[in-house]
mmCIF file of all heavy atoms in Angstrom:
data_model
loop_
_atom_site.group_PDB
_atom_site.id
_atom_site.type_symbol
_atom_site.label_atom_id
_atom_site.label_comp_id
_atom_site.label_asym_id
_atom_site.label_seq_id
_atom_site.Cartn_x
_atom_site.Cartn_y
_atom_site.Cartn_z
ATOM 1 N N ASN A 1 104.747 103.360 112.318
ATOM 2 C CA ASN A 1 105.102 102.284 111.392
ATOM 3 C C ASN A 1 103.838 101.867 110.637
ATOM 4 O O ASN A 1 102.906 101.345 111.239
ATOM 5 C CB ASN A 1 105.658 101.075 112.153
ATOM 6 C CG ASN A 1 107.004 101.354 112.788
ATOM 7 O OD1 ASN A 1 107.528 102.450 112.701
ATOM 8 N ND2 ASN A 1 107.563 100.349 113.432
ATOM 9 N N ASP A 2 103.821 102.089 109.324
ATOM 10 C CA ASP A 2 102.611 101.782 108.544
ATOM 11 C C ASP A 2 103.028 101.437 107.119
ATOM 12 O O ASP A 2 103.122 102.307 106.252
ATOM 13 C CB ASP A 2 101.664 102.981 108.557
ATOM 14 C CG ASP A 2 100.288 102.645 108.006
ATOM 15 O OD1 ASP A 2 100.151 101.573 107.364
ATOM 16 O OD2 ASP A 2 99.354 103.443 108.189
ATOM 17 N N ARG A 3 103.244 100.140 106.877
ATOM 18 C CA ARG A 3 103.755 99.715 105.565
ATOM 19 C C ARG A 3 102.794 100.018 104.425
ATOM 20 O O ARG A 3 103.210 100.169 103.276
ATOM 21 C CB ARG A 3 104.081 98.218 105.586
ATOM 22 C CG ARG A 3 102.914 97.295 105.835
ATOM 23 C CD ARG A 3 103.293 95.823 105.700
ATOM 24 N NE ARG A 3 104.386 95.448 106.580
ATOM 25 C CZ ARG A 3 104.223 95.094 107.865
ATOM 26 N NH1 ARG A 3 103.011 95.125 108.413
ATOM 27 N NH2 ARG A 3 105.243 94.738 108.591
ATOM 28 N N ALA A 4 101.500 100.155 104.718
ATOM 29 C CA ALA A 4 100.519 100.416 103.666
ATOM 30 C C ALA A 4 100.709 101.787 103.026
ATOM 31 O O ALA A 4 100.190 102.048 101.935
ATOM 32 C CB ALA A 4 99.103 100.302 104.226
ATOM 33 N N LEU A 5 101.473 102.661 103.694
ATOM 34 C CA LEU A 5 101.659 104.017 103.175
ATOM 35 C C LEU A 5 102.958 104.196 102.402
ATOM 36 O O LEU A 5 103.263 105.306 101.957
ATOM 37 C CB LEU A 5 101.615 105.025 104.329
ATOM 38 C CG LEU A 5 100.279 105.159 105.063
ATOM 39 C CD1 LEU A 5 100.405 106.170 106.194
ATOM 40 C CD2 LEU A 5 99.169 105.569 104.106
ATOM 41 N N ARG A 6 103.724 103.114 102.240
ATOM 42 C CA ARG A 6 105.007 103.259 101.544
ATOM 43 C C ARG A 6 104.838 103.776 100.121
ATOM 44 O O ARG A 6 105.611 104.612 99.664
ATOM 45 C CB ARG A 6 105.735 101.908 101.528
ATOM 46 C CG ARG A 6 106.289 101.497 102.870
ATOM 47 C CD ARG A 6 106.834 100.080 102.833
ATOM 48 N NE ARG A 6 107.277 99.649 104.159
ATOM 49 C CZ ARG A 6 107.436 98.383 104.512
ATOM 50 N NH1 ARG A 6 107.181 97.412 103.639
ATOM 51 N NH2 ARG A 6 107.838 98.087 105.731
ATOM 52 N N ASP A 7 103.847 103.266 99.431
ATOM 53 C CA ASP A 7 103.568 103.703 98.059
ATOM 54 C C ASP A 7 102.076 103.958 97.942
ATOM 55 O O ASP A 7 101.274 103.030 98.120
ATOM 56 C CB ASP A 7 104.006 102.641 97.044
ATOM 57 C CG ASP A 7 105.516 102.515 96.978
ATOM 58 O OD1 ASP A 7 106.155 103.441 96.466
ATOM 59 O OD2 ASP A 7 106.052 101.490 97.441
ATOM 60 N N VAL A 8 101.713 105.217 97.648
ATOM 61 C CA VAL A 8 100.301 105.575 97.560
ATOM 62 C C VAL A 8 100.081 106.456 96.339
ATOM 63 O O VAL A 8 101.028 106.988 95.755
ATOM 64 C CB VAL A 8 99.821 106.327 98.827
ATOM 65 C CG1 VAL A 8 99.995 105.478 100.067
ATOM 66 C CG2 VAL A 8 100.554 107.650 98.986
ATOM 67 N N VAL A 9 98.815 106.619 95.964
ATOM 68 C CA VAL A 9 98.421 107.560 94.913
ATOM 69 C C VAL A 9 97.591 108.652 95.576
ATOM 70 O O VAL A 9 96.649 108.364 96.324
ATOM 71 C CB VAL A 9 97.620 106.861 93.803
ATOM 72 C CG1 VAL A 9 97.136 107.885 92.781
ATOM 73 C CG2 VAL A 9 98.461 105.792 93.123
ATOM 74 N N VAL A 10 97.944 109.905 95.318
ATOM 75 C CA VAL A 10 97.204 111.027 95.878
ATOM 76 C C VAL A 10 96.500 111.778 94.754
ATOM 77 O O VAL A 10 96.821 111.614 93.576
ATOM 78 C CB VAL A 10 98.136 111.996 96.644
ATOM 79 C CG1 VAL A 10 98.757 111.312 97.848
ATOM 80 C CG2 VAL A 10 99.216 112.561 95.732
ATOM 81 N N GLY A 11 95.525 112.591 95.142
ATOM 82 C CA GLY A 11 94.852 113.446 94.163
ATOM 83 C C GLY A 11 93.752 112.768 93.385
ATOM 84 O O GLY A 11 93.340 113.285 92.328
ATOM 85 N N LEU A 12 93.258 111.623 93.856
ATOM 86 C CA LEU A 12 92.137 110.980 93.166
ATOM 87 C C LEU A 12 90.855 111.772 93.409
ATOM 88 O O LEU A 12 90.741 112.504 94.378
ATOM 89 C CB LEU A 12 91.972 109.546 93.672
ATOM 90 C CG LEU A 12 93.140 108.582 93.417
ATOM 91 C CD1 LEU A 12 92.836 107.215 94.034
ATOM 92 C CD2 LEU A 12 93.422 108.444 91.927
ATOM 93 N N GLY A 13 89.895 111.616 92.526
ATOM 94 C CA GLY A 13 88.594 112.238 92.740
ATOM 95 C C GLY A 13 88.282 113.394 91.812
ATOM 96 O O GLY A 13 87.326 114.124 92.036
ATOM 97 N N GLY A 14 89.097 113.600 90.806
ATOM 98 C CA GLY A 14 88.752 114.627 89.822
ATOM 99 C C GLY A 14 89.555 115.900 89.956
ATOM 100 O O GLY A 14 90.399 116.057 90.847
ATOM 101 N N VAL A 15 89.258 116.836 89.060
ATOM 102 C CA VAL A 15 90.027 118.082 88.933
ATOM 103 C C VAL A 15 90.045 118.877 90.235
ATOM 104 O O VAL A 15 91.066 119.485 90.596
ATOM 105 C CB VAL A 15 89.444 118.942 87.795
ATOM 106 C CG1 VAL A 15 90.147 120.294 87.721
ATOM 107 C CG2 VAL A 15 89.570 118.203 86.472
ATOM 108 N N ALA A 16 88.973 118.887 90.969
ATOM 109 C CA ALA A 16 88.887 119.694 92.192
ATOM 110 C C ALA A 16 89.896 119.256 93.243
ATOM 111 O O ALA A 16 90.249 120.031 94.137
ATOM 112 C CB ALA A 16 87.476 119.617 92.768
ATOM 113 N N ASN A 17 90.369 118.027 93.149
ATOM 114 C CA ASN A 17 91.311 117.500 94.134
ATOM 115 C C ASN A 17 92.755 117.550 93.657
ATOM 116 O O ASN A 17 93.631 116.925 94.249
ATOM 117 C CB ASN A 17 90.944 116.055 94.494
ATOM 118 C CG ASN A 17 89.608 115.979 95.200
ATOM 119 O OD1 ASN A 17 89.133 116.964 95.745
ATOM 120 N ND2 ASN A 17 89.009 114.804 95.192
ATOM 121 N N GLY A 18 93.011 118.274 92.589
ATOM 122 C CA GLY A 18 94.367 118.377 92.094
ATOM 123 C C GLY A 18 94.646 117.312 91.053
ATOM 124 O O GLY A 18 93.751 116.823 90.377
ATOM 125 N N PHE A 19 95.911 116.957 90.937
ATOM 126 C CA PHE A 19 96.325 115.991 89.921
ATOM 127 C C PHE A 19 96.702 114.678 90.596
ATOM 128 O O PHE A 19 97.218 114.653 91.710
ATOM 129 C CB PHE A 19 97.510 116.536 89.120
ATOM 130 C CG PHE A 19 98.722 116.790 89.960
ATOM 131 C CD1 PHE A 19 99.755 115.869 90.029
ATOM 132 C CD2 PHE A 19 98.821 117.955 90.717
ATOM 133 C CE1 PHE A 19 100.857 116.102 90.817
ATOM 134 C CE2 PHE A 19 99.929 118.190 91.505
ATOM 135 C CZ PHE A 19 100.951 117.266 91.564
ATOM 136 N N SER A 20 96.439 113.590 89.927
ATOM 137 C CA SER A 20 96.778 112.276 90.487
ATOM 138 C C SER A 20 98.248 111.971 90.230
ATOM 139 O O SER A 20 98.743 112.176 89.124
ATOM 140 C CB SER A 20 95.913 111.186 89.843
ATOM 141 O OG SER A 20 94.547 111.444 90.087
ATOM 142 N N ARG A 21 98.939 111.493 91.255
ATOM 143 C CA ARG A 21 100.336 111.082 91.094
ATOM 144 C C ARG A 21 100.695 110.065 92.162
ATOM 145 O O ARG A 21 100.073 110.002 93.222
ATOM 146 C CB ARG A 21 101.281 112.281 91.165
ATOM 147 C CG ARG A 21 101.339 112.986 92.514
ATOM 148 C CD ARG A 21 102.282 114.180 92.466
ATOM 149 N NE ARG A 21 102.361 114.872 93.747
ATOM 150 C CZ ARG A 21 103.244 114.582 94.705
ATOM 151 N NH1 ARG A 21 104.116 113.602 94.513
ATOM 152 N NH2 ARG A 21 103.250 115.243 95.847
ATOM 153 N N GLN A 22 101.709 109.289 91.859
ATOM 154 C CA GLN A 22 102.200 108.294 92.804
ATOM 155 C C GLN A 22 103.227 108.935 93.725
ATOM 156 O O GLN A 22 104.105 109.672 93.297
ATOM 157 C CB GLN A 22 102.839 107.117 92.065
ATOM 158 C CG GLN A 22 103.276 105.983 92.986
ATOM 159 C CD GLN A 22 103.803 104.789 92.215
ATOM 160 O OE1 GLN A 22 103.762 104.781 90.990
ATOM 161 N NE2 GLN A 22 104.287 103.778 92.916
ATOM 162 N N THR A 23 103.102 108.673 95.013
ATOM 163 C CA THR A 23 104.052 109.189 95.998
ATOM 164 C C THR A 23 104.107 108.189 97.160
ATOM 165 O O THR A 23 103.906 107.000 96.965
ATOM 166 C CB THR A 23 103.654 110.611 96.456
ATOM 167 O OG1 THR A 23 104.617 111.092 97.398
ATOM 168 C CG2 THR A 23 102.283 110.656 97.073
ATOM 169 N N GLY A 24 104.366 108.644 98.356
ATOM 170 C CA GLY A 24 104.428 107.734 99.492
ATOM 171 C C GLY A 24 104.722 108.483 100.773
ATOM 172 O O GLY A 24 104.893 109.710 100.789
ATOM 173 N N PHE A 25 104.773 107.738 101.851
ATOM 174 C CA PHE A 25 105.065 108.282 103.175
ATOM 175 C C PHE A 25 106.355 107.670 103.711
ATOM 176 O O PHE A 25 106.628 106.486 103.508
ATOM 177 C CB PHE A 25 103.948 107.949 104.168
ATOM 178 C CG PHE A 25 102.735 108.829 104.078
ATOM 179 C CD1 PHE A 25 101.831 108.693 103.032
ATOM 180 C CD2 PHE A 25 102.474 109.774 105.056
ATOM 181 C CE1 PHE A 25 100.699 109.487 102.954
ATOM 182 C CE2 PHE A 25 101.345 110.565 104.996
ATOM 183 C CZ PHE A 25 100.452 110.426 103.940
ATOM 184 N N ASP A 26 107.134 108.472 104.407
ATOM 185 C CA ASP A 26 108.228 107.992 105.238
ATOM 186 C C ASP A 26 107.830 108.181 106.694
ATOM 187 O O ASP A 26 106.888 108.928 107.001
ATOM 188 C CB ASP A 26 109.522 108.780 104.960
ATOM 189 C CG ASP A 26 110.040 108.570 103.540
ATOM 190 O OD1 ASP A 26 109.833 107.464 103.003
ATOM 191 O OD2 ASP A 26 110.635 109.508 102.987
ATOM 192 N N ILE A 27 108.564 107.537 107.602
ATOM 193 C CA ILE A 27 108.334 107.790 109.016
ATOM 194 C C ILE A 27 108.969 109.131 109.368
ATOM 195 O O ILE A 27 109.973 109.546 108.773
ATOM 196 C CB ILE A 27 108.902 106.642 109.879
ATOM 197 C CG1 ILE A 27 108.425 106.781 111.339
ATOM 198 C CG2 ILE A 27 110.416 106.545 109.774
ATOM 199 C CD1 ILE A 27 108.677 105.532 112.176
ATOM 200 N N THR A 28 108.386 109.863 110.306
ATOM 201 C CA THR A 28 108.824 111.221 110.620
ATOM 202 C C THR A 28 110.314 111.298 110.932
ATOM 203 O O THR A 28 110.995 112.261 110.560
ATOM 204 C CB THR A 28 108.013 111.786 111.799
ATOM 205 O OG1 THR A 28 106.637 111.895 111.401
ATOM 206 C CG2 THR A 28 108.514 113.145 112.243
ATOM 207 N N VAL A 29 110.842 110.289 111.610
ATOM 208 C CA VAL A 29 112.257 110.338 111.978
ATOM 209 C C VAL A 29 113.181 110.197 110.775
ATOM 210 O O VAL A 29 114.394 110.409 110.891
ATOM 211 C CB VAL A 29 112.588 109.267 113.039
ATOM 212 C CG1 VAL A 29 112.015 109.653 114.384
ATOM 213 C CG2 VAL A 29 112.072 107.904 112.617
ATOM 214 N N ALA A 30 112.617 109.858 109.601
ATOM 215 C CA ALA A 30 113.406 109.819 108.368
ATOM 216 C C ALA A 30 113.290 111.118 107.578
ATOM 217 O O ALA A 30 113.935 111.269 106.546
ATOM 218 C CB ALA A 30 112.949 108.656 107.486
ATOM 219 N N SER A 31 112.486 112.058 108.063
ATOM 220 C CA SER A 31 112.275 113.314 107.357
ATOM 221 C C SER A 31 113.546 114.167 107.345
ATOM 222 O O SER A 31 114.276 114.239 108.345
ATOM 223 C CB SER A 31 111.147 114.107 108.035
ATOM 224 O OG SER A 31 111.121 115.448 107.582
ATOM 225 N N GLU A 32 113.778 114.845 106.246
ATOM 226 C CA GLU A 32 114.896 115.789 106.206
ATOM 227 C C GLU A 32 114.663 116.939 107.177
ATOM 228 O O GLU A 32 115.618 117.529 107.693
ATOM 229 C CB GLU A 32 115.104 116.332 104.787
ATOM 230 C CG GLU A 32 116.355 117.204 104.675
ATOM 231 C CD GLU A 32 116.659 117.687 103.274
ATOM 232 O OE1 GLU A 32 115.975 117.238 102.329
ATOM 233 O OE2 GLU A 32 117.582 118.505 103.129
ATOM 234 N N VAL A 33 113.413 117.246 107.468
ATOM 235 C CA VAL A 33 113.123 118.289 108.458
ATOM 236 C C VAL A 33 113.667 117.883 109.828
ATOM 237 O O VAL A 33 114.211 118.706 110.574
ATOM 238 C CB VAL A 33 111.614 118.591 108.519
ATOM 239 C CG1 VAL A 33 111.302 119.617 109.602
ATOM 240 C CG2 VAL A 33 111.111 119.076 107.168
ATOM 241 N N MET A 34 113.520 116.605 110.179
ATOM 242 C CA MET A 34 114.077 116.105 111.435
ATOM 243 C C MET A 34 115.596 116.262 111.442
ATOM 244 O O MET A 34 116.196 116.742 112.419
ATOM 245 C CB MET A 34 113.710 114.636 111.633
ATOM 246 C CG MET A 34 114.407 113.960 112.820
ATOM 247 S SD MET A 34 113.868 114.577 114.413
ATOM 248 C CE MET A 34 112.360 113.614 114.614
ATOM 249 N N ALA A 35 116.234 115.861 110.340
ATOM 250 C CA ALA A 35 117.691 115.976 110.260
ATOM 251 C C ALA A 35 118.129 117.432 110.356
ATOM 252 O O ALA A 35 119.127 117.753 111.018
ATOM 253 C CB ALA A 35 118.190 115.351 108.959
ATOM 254 N N ILE A 36 117.384 118.322 109.716
ATOM 255 C CA ILE A 36 117.716 119.749 109.743
ATOM 256 C C ILE A 36 117.594 120.298 111.152
ATOM 257 O O ILE A 36 118.489 121.010 111.645
ATOM 258 C CB ILE A 36 116.820 120.523 108.762
ATOM 259 C CG1 ILE A 36 117.251 120.237 107.324
ATOM 260 C CG2 ILE A 36 116.837 122.018 109.050
ATOM 261 C CD1 ILE A 36 116.308 120.789 106.274
ATOM 262 N N LEU A 37 116.501 119.994 111.832
ATOM 263 C CA LEU A 37 116.324 120.483 113.200
ATOM 264 C C LEU A 37 117.464 120.004 114.103
ATOM 265 O O LEU A 37 117.917 120.731 114.989
ATOM 266 C CB LEU A 37 114.977 120.033 113.755
ATOM 267 C CG LEU A 37 114.669 120.529 115.167
ATOM 268 C CD1 LEU A 37 113.278 121.138 115.246
ATOM 269 C CD2 LEU A 37 114.788 119.416 116.204
ATOM 270 N N CYS A 38 117.950 118.800 113.849
ATOM 271 C CA CYS A 38 118.995 118.243 114.700
ATOM 272 C C CYS A 38 120.390 118.729 114.337
ATOM 273 O O CYS A 38 121.340 118.472 115.090
ATOM 274 C CB CYS A 38 118.947 116.712 114.656
ATOM 275 S SG CYS A 38 117.512 116.045 115.516
ATOM 276 N N LEU A 39 120.544 119.410 113.213
ATOM 277 C CA LEU A 39 121.850 119.941 112.821
ATOM 278 C C LEU A 39 121.898 121.467 112.851
ATOM 279 O O LEU A 39 122.991 122.049 112.826
ATOM 280 C CB LEU A 39 122.216 119.453 111.416
ATOM 281 C CG LEU A 39 122.553 117.959 111.303
ATOM 282 C CD1 LEU A 39 122.660 117.537 109.847
ATOM 283 C CD2 LEU A 39 123.846 117.626 112.038
ATOM 284 N N ALA A 40 120.743 122.120 112.933
ATOM 285 C CA ALA A 40 120.698 123.586 112.931
ATOM 286 C C ALA A 40 121.218 124.150 114.252
ATOM 287 O O ALA A 40 121.047 123.545 115.313
ATOM 288 C CB ALA A 40 119.274 124.069 112.678
ATOM 289 N N THR A 41 121.834 125.322 114.178
ATOM 290 C CA THR A 41 122.412 125.938 115.376
ATOM 291 C C THR A 41 121.494 126.968 116.015
ATOM 292 O O THR A 41 121.612 127.248 117.208
ATOM 293 C CB THR A 41 123.751 126.616 115.026
ATOM 294 O OG1 THR A 41 123.550 127.536 113.939
ATOM 295 C CG2 THR A 41 124.781 125.576 114.603
#
């Protein structure tokens, strides 16, 4: 649980670090990967 990560900017620091964009984090149990693992046969 980390509310500070809900909305973040990644890619700061210049061209070598990629492009800057706004994104965020979800908790792992909200990941679609978690849902997929729990529904896959």
Side-chain angles (χ1 to χ4, degrees):
N1 292 2
D2 191 346
R3 63 174 56 85
L5 295 179
R6 288 173 184 160
D7 291 289
V8 300
V9 176
V10 296
L12 297 178
V15 175
N17 295 340
F19 62 98
S20 300
R21 66 181 180 90
Q22 185 175 355
T23 181
F25 280 74
D26 295 328
I27 191 167
T28 296
V29 287
S31 166
E32 186 176 353
V33 177
M34 172 68 82
I36 287 172
L37 182 131
C38 289
L39 290 170
T41 54

